[in-house]
């Protein structure tokens, strides 16, 4: 029995449904942010993040960060610390969030070149290689899964290409909608940074910016010619704090949120209790099932090709003559919350179904079956008949 | 009966002890950040903040912001948005946090002049006036209560002086350790900004940067010659989001934390259920009682003069030959958590006792009596005898 009151099942691409134990950790009694109990919890949480990112090589070692903020703060960490004003950044965009990362980099003075995929697709590897040969880029950023389109980028192949063509370029991943549901082998693939948030597949309420950076990225920060023009997003200011917490020593820069860190600790323990490979496979299975059901209904998926489709979510075109204000309230009346569109070119023409976390991995939950059934009846009530 | 398990009473100057209902709101089931239910909760929360800051004048109207982050993020909001690189900022410092605000302003390129109070005191008004006459300052910042020293600044008198001597200078208050326990009459005094955090006298777990800015401050932002070099801390990006939520309309820039906003909503409802004046008086009474008990014990308070002593906390010099590692573990064994020192010149020589929020206003709690008794016995166990 869940300890949560009955409520519509939240199947947007984040925030997701949360496990009871995670939500209970949110109401942990108040603790000092520098007391031994909380320091141990935060330290353990940082160490677990290394495991989640498959980044446990000790020499050179990567550096995890957990900072109070939205996932968006991760972009600021990258833009303020790893690129100096006037340096070049190559942004691969597969939707709203790729465009946002580019805006953020520009705000800090980076010279941004953006390669856009077509709606539902991603920039081609040959074009990326060509761009990398044309100009020297300090960093390349890629959205692993763009929450606005459900387009998946192929990180391993991409990173290998960058290392081949422009080995000095740092590869930075926006993993907000992919960490803990799509495979990310940080060390093996040679990534330089992944920024994410708590409220998607990690399964902890929103409010934490979570990231990991390679020793190469940390060296690039060390070697800057100019000081980063930020304070709260300064990785140099947070670095000793993260190192201290992980060494189980108190330290202070800005007060962390003990309750959110407790919830993240609980969520990570649940994730790491089973092999990560099993978790990724389960998300693939469920995603395949959703995509087949949607296609069987005669609907079209925004991410055009199967290899470009994320396993975290599915963005689905509305049938003709059915609108978001028609469909979403009918779904809500059946206890299911989906999201509307977000990509500027097609925003009113599609909806989004998130399938991450407990909804996917907890065998007691029937969220996916219920959602697919609700979708079938809601469409039918809207007068939809498969062509 | 509290629903919280037995735990040491947290009497550091933040985070503080939290009310059961507030902690229960932290485990609210997951909701969409753009769904009608949460939008209404967030909107109501913003409106309640106007009441908390005594800023309900509708024309011109001030603007509240609630953003995921530590209290420190409030400094970045000010430094990134209200001062352009090369503009002058006058920082009044009464301890660690005044110095931190200055560092943050410098990180964004402001030309900072810092007026330091002596340890335990504050800069004198005549010196502030002299500085304002010497040079044109875009903003003046003041820490209402510096958490490192417990020194209280006199906001009303100070603001009146600034308006007399340099009426164009924006008056910005760091209210992290004062909002909801020391009076702040935002409109009446003519303040231009107050930045604070959730985890102190407001009584909501850490993780929210809470602020309010005058229409004059918002106009200064509008009239900037350069774009603010930040993304997550950009007030221009957050402004339409805050306006939308308060108008009960969905909008999106970066995902807020529904659980923290629910907890803040609960905390503000509790605060506003009684007249604010009563809340401020109660904090004064309890603070006076603590300060008398401490003085009766023969101990010396860091804030030298009574008029400079905050009602949120008391920073207390250790007796000679008694150290923090002697005293704090003894207090902990009696179920009381105090904080060590933080001010660089005296950090090992004093400790801090926070008396804010439910600890002070909930008549069922005996936190203060217990803490004073624990302090007496712990000192006695350390061999302390009043001189």
């Amino acid at each position: 029995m869940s300890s949560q009151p009955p409520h519509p099942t939240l199947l947007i691409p984040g925030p997701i449904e949360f496990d009871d134990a995670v939500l209970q950790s949110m109401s942990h009694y108040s603790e000092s942010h520098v007391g031994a109990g909380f320091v141990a919890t935060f330290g353990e949480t940082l160490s677990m993040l290394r495991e989640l990112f498959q980044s446990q090589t000790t020499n050179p070692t990567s550096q995890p960060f957990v900072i109070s903020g939205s996932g968006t703060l991760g972009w600021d960490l990258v833009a303020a610390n790893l690129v100096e004003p006037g340096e070049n950044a190559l942004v691969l965009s597969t939707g709203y969030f790729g465009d946002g990362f580019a805006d953020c980099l520009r705000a800090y003075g980076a010279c941004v070149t953006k390669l856009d995929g077509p709606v539902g697709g991603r920039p081609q590897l040959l074009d990326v290689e060509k761009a990398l040969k044309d100009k020297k880029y300090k960093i390349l950023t890629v959205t692993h899964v763009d929450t606005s389109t459900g387009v998946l980028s192929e990180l391993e192949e991409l990173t290998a290409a960058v290392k081949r063509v422009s080995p000095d370029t740092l590869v930075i991943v926006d993993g907000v909608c992919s960490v803990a549901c799509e495979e990310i082998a940080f060390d093996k693939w040679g990534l330089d940074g992944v920024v994410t948030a708590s409220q998607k597949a990690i399964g902890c309420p929103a409010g934490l910016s979570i990231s990991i950076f390679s020793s190469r990225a940390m060296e690039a920060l060390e070697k800057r010619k100019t000081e980063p023009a930020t304070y709260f997003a300064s990785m140099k200011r947070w670095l000793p704090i993260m190192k201290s917490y992980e060494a189980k020593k108190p330290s202070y820069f800005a007060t962390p949120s003990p309750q959110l860190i407790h919830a993240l600790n609980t969520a990570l323990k649940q994730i790491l209790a089973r092999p990560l490979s099993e978790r990724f496979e389960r998300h693939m299975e469920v995603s395949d099932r959703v995509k087949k059901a949607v296609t069987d209904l005669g609907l079209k998926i925004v991410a055009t090709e199967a290899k470009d489709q994320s396993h975290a979510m599915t963005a689905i075109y509305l049938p003709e003559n059915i609108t978001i204000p028609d469909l979403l309230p009918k779904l809500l009346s059946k206890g299911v919350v989906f999201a509307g569109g977000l990509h500027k070119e097609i925003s009113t023409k599609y909806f989004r179904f998130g399938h991450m976390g407990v909804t996917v991995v907890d065998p007691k939950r029937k969220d996916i079956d219920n959602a697919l059934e609700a979708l079938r009846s809601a469409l039918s009530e809207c007068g939809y008949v498969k062509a």
Side-chain angles (χ1 to χ4, degrees), chain A:
Chain A
M1 272 293 288
S2 169
S3 58
Q4 300 173 49
H7 63 275
T9 308
L10 191 60
L11 298 175
I12 65 174
I16 67 168
E17 284 289 310
F18 300 124
D19 181 76
D20 290 352
V22 172
L23 285 181
Q24 281 152 21
S25 299
M26 287 291 286
S27 50
H28 196 283
Y29 62 80
S30 197
E31 284 178 302
S32 168
H33 51 302
V34 291
F38 174 68
V39 169
T41 301
F42 199 166
E44 182 184 54
T45 304
L46 289 164
S47 300
M48 285 193 288
L49 283 175
R50 295 182 188 275
E51 202 175 331
L52 178 68
F53 286 110
Q54 304 183 42
S55 180
Q56 292 179 287
T57 308
T58 52
N59 186 22
T61 184
S62 53
Q63 181 59 51
F65 290 81
V66 179
I67 304 176
S68 283
S70 302
T72 300
L73 179 62
W75 293 345
D76 287 68
L77 288 183
V78 172
N81 294 285
L82 301 184
V83 197
E84 299 192 55
E87 287 183 335
N88 297 322
L90 182 63
V91 174
L92 311 190
S93 179
T94 49
Y96 179 94
F97 292 92
D99 293 353
F101 207 157
D103 285 344
C104 177
L105 286 158
R106 280 188 207 104
Y108 284 91
C111 292
V112 173
T113 302
K114 188 156 69 78
L115 291 184
D116 293 300
V119 175
R122 52 174 154 103
Q124 292 305 297
L125 211 50
L126 283 177
D127 296 328
V128 178
E129 291 187 12
K130 186 175 174 303
L132 289 170
K133 283 172 191 160
D134 282 354
K135 208 192 274 181
K136 188 176 156 68
Y137 288 97
K138 177 74 168 286
I139 66 169
L140 170 146
T141 73
V142 55
T143 316
H144 195 183
V145 171
D146 198 296
T147 313
S148 72
T149 55
V151 169
L152 173 74
S153 293
E154 211 294 312
L155 286 193
E156 189 176 8
E157 205 178 21
L158 171 70
T159 310
V162 180
K163 291 196 179 302
R164 203 166 50 236
V165 179
S166 180
D168 290 341
T169 301
L170 299 172
V171 178
I172 306 292
V173 179
D174 176 342
V176 168
C177 196
S178 72
V179 169
C181 66
E182 306 280 2
E183 168 138 51
I184 298 182
F186 192 86
D187 289 355
K188 190 175 155 205
W189 297 348
L191 302 174
D192 292 300
V194 178
V195 297
T196 189
S198 45
Q199 77 275 8
K200 302 205 183 191
I202 291 175
C204 165
L208 295 175
S209 157
I210 297 167
S211 53
I212 189 163
F213 294 97
S214 67
S215 52
R216 217 163 74 115
M218 298 309 291
E219 277 159 29
L221 170 61
E222 200 55 50
K223 285 183 192 153
R224 282 180 68 112
K225 287 173 219 82
T226 58
E227 279 301 305
T230 182
Y231 190 77
F232 187 63
S234 165
M235 281 164 56
K236 273 190 197 170
R237 292 187 188 269
W238 282 112
L239 179 63
I241 309 302
M242 296 298 139
K243 284 183 181 287
S244 291
Y245 273 115
E246 206 170 353
K248 311 283 164 85
K249 289 179 198 154
S251 65
Y252 177 73
F253 167 56
T255 308
S257 182
Q259 282 72 14
L260 278 169
I261 299 291
H262 270 286
L264 176 59
N265 186 281
T266 301
L268 290 174
K269 277 186 181 145
Q270 290 182 348
I271 290 172
L272 298 172
R274 310 280 316 159
L276 282 173
S277 57
E278 189 183 288
R279 185 176 178 88
F280 301 142
E281 276 161 32
R282 182 81 189 125
H283 278 86
M284 291 176 86
E285 277 165 31
V286 169
S287 173
D288 288 351
R289 185 148 66 86
V290 167
K291 287 172 175 71
K292 180 170 185 312
V294 163
T295 314
D296 286 351
L297 269 168
L299 302 181
K300 205 180 136 201
I301 293 168
V302 172
T304 332
E305 295 188 47
K307 68 173 177 54
D308 298 344
Q309 290 172 351
S310 101
H311 308 100
M313 59 171 290
T314 308
I316 306 161
Y317 282 109
L318 287 158
E320 283 212 6
N321 306 319
I322 297 179
T323 67
I324 288 291
D326 295 333
L327 185 66
L328 293 197
K330 288 203 170 58
L331 284 165
L332 182 58
S333 73
K334 297 170 203 307
V336 170
V337 183
F338 281 175
L342 193 56
H343 189 293
K344 60 180 186 288
E345 290 180 42
I346 54 169
S347 66
T348 60
K349 297 183 180 163
Y350 75 109
F351 61 101
R352 294 174 297 151
F353 176 176
H355 30 82
M356 290 176 254
V358 286
T359 278
V360 166
V361 299
D362 181 345
K364 293 190 301 294
R365 298 183 75 115
K366 304 290 167 221
D367 298 348
I368 300 295
D369 291 333
N370 294 346
L372 289 172
E373 187 46 45
L375 178 59
R376 276 182 211 106
S377 2
L379 284 170
S380 158
E381 285 169 31
C382 288
Y384 172 70
V385 183
K386 183 181 168 181

